Amino acid sequence: MKLTCSQSDLNTNLSLASRAVPSRPTHPVLGNVLLIADEQAQKVQLRAFDLSLGIQTRFPAQVSEGGTITLPAKLLGDIVSRLSEGEITLICEEEESETETEGAMVTLTSASGRYQFRSMNPEEFPNLPQVESEDAIALPVDLMTEGLRSTLFAASLEETKQILTGIHLTRLQADTLEFAATDGHRLAVVQAVSGTDEDEATAAPEMTVPEDFEVTIPAKALRELERMVAASSVDAIALNFDDSQVVFEFGDRHLTSRKLDGAYPNYQQLIPQQFARHITIERKQLISCLERVAVLADQKNNVVKFSLDSEKQELALSVDTTDVGNAREFVPVQISGESIDVAFNVRYLMDGLKALPSSEIQMQLNEANQPAIFTPLGGVKMTYLVMPVQLRE
């Protein structure tokens, strides 16, 4: 095998693929990337797979002799990222190996030097799952980006609640997907609609979602999808799925992930339908005030108190930390309903407020021990529910 490519192309694509290389591989070959040099297409394909998440990417190269090898992902990445821009040549000479897993020596040559390292037998590398589906969905990139940006932050990080470590996608209508994420303390739900742009020249590709579409996908995989899409210039993502796998394809990039097993919680039951109090707030002003008072928040519980004064039409934010100090800020608001004191975890609150897409937001709640709902005024239809923290008298 012999190929020549640019340092920037190899570095960019290797960085993307390596996100699917496990930090502690269960089999040595999984710590490698599979490199396929295609002489006919004059392209190089890189593939990584941790047996749950798989990433595949292709880029142009001058391939004078095709072939397939596996290369140590971290070692190769550390070398390539430190090389200066310019051409890189990779050569792999066929040779007899002493063991079935051991591969040939690979030589990497750049303008500044020469490196050699041992590959592994490519036949040891597992194939990515293949999904053949007649119900492939063309997802507009803007819709997918909007849905992920508004929900990924709320997914659980605790593996003991595995179903909550995913994002739940549900069909509402043929052109509307609902994204939902919860960790048991907060809930983010967004309804993303395709084809909402009135300008036909910039309108999103048409999307048709099958009636029974409902899937929970690991947030880890979708974070990688978000990163890969941001680095590409495509308009749509093809989503294929079966009973156990989902596959996203766009341009020369391909991401596969297992589905999460189990029933996702019926989150709609958690959202109150009627509220005793409605508060309209300028979002950025509230975030700025929260960032200031949060400096003094107790690192053990990170709690901020909301004191809503309906007479003054004012919100007081306060933090009182034993042995450290206290802080208080005031925000003008529009309040409908009686005054109330309620407390929240600052981080949960900030995550949701930063994801809400409008300049003005509405906060709705009933009592201090019941869920508070934050929604944007205009734009994307998003609901952010956060559970209050019990105040100690």
Side-chain angles (χ1 to χ4, degrees), residues 17 39 62 157 218 231 246 279 316 377 383 391:
E39 188 175 355
Q62 298 168 29
L157 300 176
V246 290
I279 303 95
L377 290 178
T383 300
L391 283 170

mmCIF file of all heavy atoms in Angstrom, residues 17 39 62 157 218 231 246 279 316 377 383 391:
data_model
loop_
_atom_site.group_PDB
_atom_site.id
_atom_site.type_symbol
_atom_site.label_atom_id
_atom_site.label_comp_id
_atom_site.label_asym_id
_atom_site.label_seq_id
_atom_site.Cartn_x
_atom_site.Cartn_y
_atom_site.Cartn_z
ATOM 1 N N ALA A 17 -12.579 10.341 13.330
ATOM 2 C CA ALA A 17 -12.742 8.896 13.485
ATOM 3 C C ALA A 17 -12.306 8.419 14.864
ATOM 4 O O ALA A 17 -12.938 7.547 15.466
ATOM 5 C CB ALA A 17 -11.955 8.162 12.403
ATOM 6 N N GLU A 39 -7.525 2.721 -4.612
ATOM 7 C CA GLU A 39 -6.790 3.216 -5.780
ATOM 8 C C GLU A 39 -7.730 3.702 -6.872
ATOM 9 O O GLU A 39 -7.458 4.694 -7.548
ATOM 10 C CB GLU A 39 -5.876 2.109 -6.316
ATOM 11 C CG GLU A 39 -4.932 2.566 -7.410
ATOM 12 C CD GLU A 39 -3.950 1.475 -7.829
ATOM 13 O OE1 GLU A 39 -3.945 0.394 -7.197
ATOM 14 O OE2 GLU A 39 -3.207 1.706 -8.800
ATOM 15 N N GLN A 62 -3.734 10.729 -3.092
ATOM 16 C CA GLN A 62 -3.098 10.133 -4.278
ATOM 17 C C GLN A 62 -2.707 8.705 -3.896
ATOM 18 O O GLN A 62 -1.713 8.496 -3.194
ATOM 19 C CB GLN A 62 -1.864 10.939 -4.674
ATOM 20 C CG GLN A 62 -2.172 12.380 -5.058
ATOM 21 C CD GLN A 62 -0.898 13.222 -5.157
ATOM 22 O OE1 GLN A 62 0.170 12.712 -5.462
ATOM 23 N NE2 GLN A 62 -1.027 14.515 -4.899
ATOM 24 N N LEU A 157 -25.808 11.421 32.780
ATOM 25 C CA LEU A 157 -24.448 10.905 32.635
ATOM 26 C C LEU A 157 -24.253 9.634 33.452
ATOM 27 O O LEU A 157 -23.166 9.061 33.466
ATOM 28 C CB LEU A 157 -23.426 11.967 33.085
ATOM 29 C CG LEU A 157 -23.454 13.288 32.312
ATOM 30 C CD1 LEU A 157 -22.473 14.275 32.930
ATOM 31 C CD2 LEU A 157 -23.147 13.084 30.838
ATOM 32 N N PRO A 218 -28.040 6.898 22.106
ATOM 33 C CA PRO A 218 -27.095 7.381 23.118
ATOM 34 C C PRO A 218 -26.643 8.817 22.844
ATOM 35 O O PRO A 218 -26.288 9.150 21.707
ATOM 36 C CB PRO A 218 -25.919 6.401 23.003
ATOM 37 C CG PRO A 218 -26.520 5.152 22.455
ATOM 38 C CD PRO A 218 -27.608 5.600 21.524
ATOM 39 N N ALA A 231 -18.542 20.198 11.112
ATOM 40 C CA ALA A 231 -17.322 20.262 10.308
ATOM 41 C C ALA A 231 -17.576 19.948 8.835
ATOM 42 O O ALA A 231 -16.639 19.841 8.054
ATOM 43 C CB ALA A 231 -16.289 19.289 10.874
ATOM 44 N N VAL A 246 -28.915 2.436 14.514
ATOM 45 C CA VAL A 246 -29.209 3.594 13.669
ATOM 46 C C VAL A 246 -27.928 3.958 12.925
ATOM 47 O O VAL A 246 -26.827 3.800 13.458
ATOM 48 C CB VAL A 246 -29.699 4.819 14.486
ATOM 49 C CG1 VAL A 246 -31.077 4.583 15.050
ATOM 50 C CG2 VAL A 246 -28.720 5.187 15.594
ATOM 51 N N ILE A 279 -44.434 34.298 34.531
ATOM 52 C CA ILE A 279 -43.434 35.359 34.660
ATOM 53 C C ILE A 279 -42.715 35.520 33.325
ATOM 54 O O ILE A 279 -42.228 34.532 32.741
ATOM 55 C CB ILE A 279 -42.407 35.022 35.766
ATOM 56 C CG1 ILE A 279 -43.116 34.781 37.108
ATOM 57 C CG2 ILE A 279 -41.379 36.136 35.908
ATOM 58 C CD1 ILE A 279 -43.401 33.342 37.410
ATOM 59 N N ALA A 316 -35.915 38.767 42.732
ATOM 60 C CA ALA A 316 -34.669 38.873 43.486
ATOM 61 C C ALA A 316 -33.971 37.518 43.463
ATOM 62 O O ALA A 316 -34.569 36.488 43.809
ATOM 63 C CB ALA A 316 -34.950 39.302 44.919
ATOM 64 N N LEU A 377 -40.332 32.827 24.110
ATOM 65 C CA LEU A 377 -41.451 33.590 23.546
ATOM 66 C C LEU A 377 -41.129 33.831 22.076
ATOM 67 O O LEU A 377 -40.385 34.734 21.715
ATOM 68 C CB LEU A 377 -41.636 34.913 24.297
ATOM 69 C CG LEU A 377 -42.175 34.777 25.729
ATOM 70 C CD1 LEU A 377 -42.267 36.142 26.405
ATOM 71 C CD2 LEU A 377 -43.538 34.107 25.746
ATOM 72 N N THR A 383 -39.608 23.322 25.470
ATOM 73 C CA THR A 383 -40.043 23.306 26.860
ATOM 74 C C THR A 383 -38.888 22.819 27.716
ATOM 75 O O THR A 383 -38.301 21.769 27.427
ATOM 76 C CB THR A 383 -41.249 22.363 27.057
ATOM 77 O OG1 THR A 383 -42.330 22.813 26.235
ATOM 78 C CG2 THR A 383 -41.694 22.341 28.508
ATOM 79 N N LEU A 391 -36.306 24.386 49.997
ATOM 80 C CA LEU A 391 -35.675 25.416 50.832
ATOM 81 C C LEU A 391 -35.735 25.025 52.298
ATOM 82 O O LEU A 391 -36.758 24.567 52.785
ATOM 83 C CB LEU A 391 -36.374 26.758 50.633
ATOM 84 C CG LEU A 391 -36.056 27.525 49.356
ATOM 85 C CD1 LEU A 391 -37.007 28.690 49.191
ATOM 86 C CD2 LEU A 391 -34.608 28.043 49.376
#
